[in-house]
Amino acid sequence: MKKKVMAGALVTSIMFSGQAYASDYVVKSGDSLWKIANNNQVSVSNIKSWNNLNSDLIFPGQKLFLKAGGSTSQPAPAPSQPTSITYTIKAGDSLSIIAREHQTTLANLLKLNPSIKDVNRIYIGQKINVAAPNSTAPSQPVKPAPSPSQPAPKASTYTIKSGDNLSSVANRHGVTLNALLSANPSIQNANRIYVGQVINIPGNVTANPGNDASWEAKADAIIETGKKYLGAKYLYGASTNRTDAFDCSSYTVKVFAENGINLPRTSAQQGNVGKEIPLSEIRKGDLVFFDTEGDGVINHVSIVTDSNTLLHAATSTGVAFSSYNTYWKPRAVKAVRVL
């Protein structure tokens, strides 16, 4: 009889001690706070309190701190939240739509993706950074006040003309697209501007960048470096450390890196760096991008040596010079200037 009383007391002690056991829960696709709360016999408000959540928004892979039995004791510190997560571009996406769906601004989205120079140039399958739920966008660095001898350039306005887009306007005024959007917070969709619209141009450092004489020397150096590898064979996916074999983009990575310019690995990614220029205005040292499959995806890149000649690693020739005005020109979709 004594043993039964002691056992009963032990069970009672466990049941009513009020102690709860904490655990981590990893959010899965299809989860919601209500579903997690119901499955773990706790309330949504408790989960939000234990994890310092300000909304019901959660995302797959996120870790949540849970307490068995809904204990209301002092919660452990919430796990740190990532500042950004990766998003893969889908058909029909635009940067403005993505920003809106992730409850941020287009300008903040561009801050997280400095390699994107033209909001109109994104592609299906491209991975970009978006702000994680409950994280704040990166703060703007505090800029030092201009010295009295060099006052800050004055801001101005610009009236949109036929054929304009925000990227071209930014390039023309020597400012970044991000700076242009920050100066025009009323623009929620960079693709929605209209002829006659007046926008603010932030104070710029240099109008019409890239016109200094040094670009030609840099272009000549790029071409001379590229000529070192003439005759190297073509190998898809070649390491950027190899010099005996290249694919088109590993070749441009290698050549530009030897001249102090870092490019991303793939041709599609390289199409988002530098300043986009009209194909009719290419000059030596520029990069030209091609869609040889006709599917709307950039899949080849070449270095311009003159208006009729390309230097590249092609599947049929390896590293070689090619005439631009033959097979290649009808398939050219974009040109950028990085010098």
Side-chain angles (χ1 to χ4, degrees):
M1 183 65 181
K2 184 176 182 180
K3 289 182 179 179
K4 291 182 179 179
V5 171
M6 291 178 65
L10 179 60
V11 171
T12 303
S13 175
I14 292 174
M15 290 179 62
F16 296 101
S17 63
Q19 182 175 356
Y21 296 93
S23 64
D24 285 336
Y25 178 83
V26 179
V27 176
K28 300 185 293 294
S29 178
D31 273 347
S32 66
L33 283 186
W34 179 88
K35 181 179 179 181
I36 296 169
N38 189 56
N39 289 344
N40 290 273
Q41 299 181 338
V42 296
S43 68
V44 171
S45 60
N46 276 342
I47 296 179
K48 293 172 70 173
S49 174
W50 298 334
N51 293 275
N52 293 334
L53 299 180
N54 297 320
S55 72
D56 292 342
L57 187 63
I58 55 177
F59 57 92
Q62 181 179 1
K63 286 187 177 180
L64 297 177
F65 180 84
L66 301 180
K67 285 176 178 279
S71 168
T72 56
S73 60
Q74 183 67 25
S80 60
Q81 298 282 347
T83 58
S84 66
I85 57 176
T86 301
Y87 177 83
T88 303
I89 303 294
K90 303 186 299 294
D93 274 344
S94 72
L95 290 184
S96 299
I97 291 173
I98 296 168
R100 184 167 62 250
E101 289 179 348
H102 288 83
Q103 300 178 349
T104 187
T105 65
L106 183 56
N108 283 339
L109 189 61
L110 287 169
K111 289 175 190 175
L112 290 173
N113 296 276
S115 64
I116 298 178
K117 305 301 182 185
D118 185 345
V119 295
N120 302 312
R121 295 286 183 174
I122 59 175
Y123 54 91
I124 296 172
Q126 181 180 0
K127 295 185 183 299
I128 64 172
N129 297 316
V130 297
N134 303 313
S135 70
T136 56
S139 59
Q140 285 278 53
V142 178
K143 297 181 180 179
S147 62
S149 59
Q150 293 182 338
K154 294 181 179 179
S156 60
T157 59
Y158 175 80
T159 303
I160 299 296
K161 301 188 294 293
S162 178
D164 276 342
N165 61 53
L166 287 185
S167 297
S168 65
V169 173
N171 287 332
R172 193 177 308 138
H173 290 86
V175 299
T176 66
L177 179 59
N178 187 16
L180 190 62
L181 286 167
S182 296
N184 296 274
S186 62
I187 298 178
Q188 300 299 318
N189 186 336
N191 301 316
R192 298 284 185 178
I193 57 174
Y194 54 89
V195 175
Q197 182 178 1
V198 177
I199 63 172
N200 298 315
I201 305 297
N204 57 69
V205 178
T206 304
N208 300 316
N211 289 333
D212 58 299
S214 64
W215 75 265
E216 190 163 14
K218 294 176 184 176
D220 289 336
I222 291 287
I223 294 168
E224 287 304 309
T225 300
K227 289 163 63 176
K228 293 193 308 181
Y229 303 114
L230 285 170
K233 64 182 180 180
Y234 181 89
L235 177 64
Y236 179 76
S239 167
T240 54
N241 293 322
R242 294 185 65 167
T243 57
D244 62 320
F246 299 93
D247 63 18
C248 66
S249 54
S250 75
Y251 177 65
T252 51
V253 166
K254 183 68 175 176
V255 170
F256 277 75
E258 290 188 22
N259 289 274
I261 300 172
N262 294 323
L263 296 177
R265 176 60 181 85
T266 70
S267 56
Q269 292 168 339
Q270 290 174 18
N272 289 322
V273 303
K275 170 188 175 183
E276 185 174 0
I277 55 172
L279 286 165
S280 60
E281 297 178 11
I282 57 173
R283 68 187 187 194
K284 61 183 176 181
D286 290 341
L287 293 174
V288 179
F289 298 86
F290 303 87
D291 170 14
T292 63
E293 301 294 331
D295 58 1
V297 178
I298 289 173
N299 61 1
H300 187 72
V301 57
S302 300
I303 302 170
V304 176
T305 61
D306 61 49
S307 60
N308 188 43
T309 311
L310 306 173
L311 179 58
H312 57 182
T315 55
S316 58
T317 62
V319 177
F321 289 104
S322 295
S323 172
Y324 176 48
N325 290 320
T326 52
Y327 170 85
W328 295 103
K329 191 170 185 178
R331 295 165 175 81
V333 294
K334 184 178 184 180
V336 301
R337 183 165 295 160
V338 295
L339 302 179

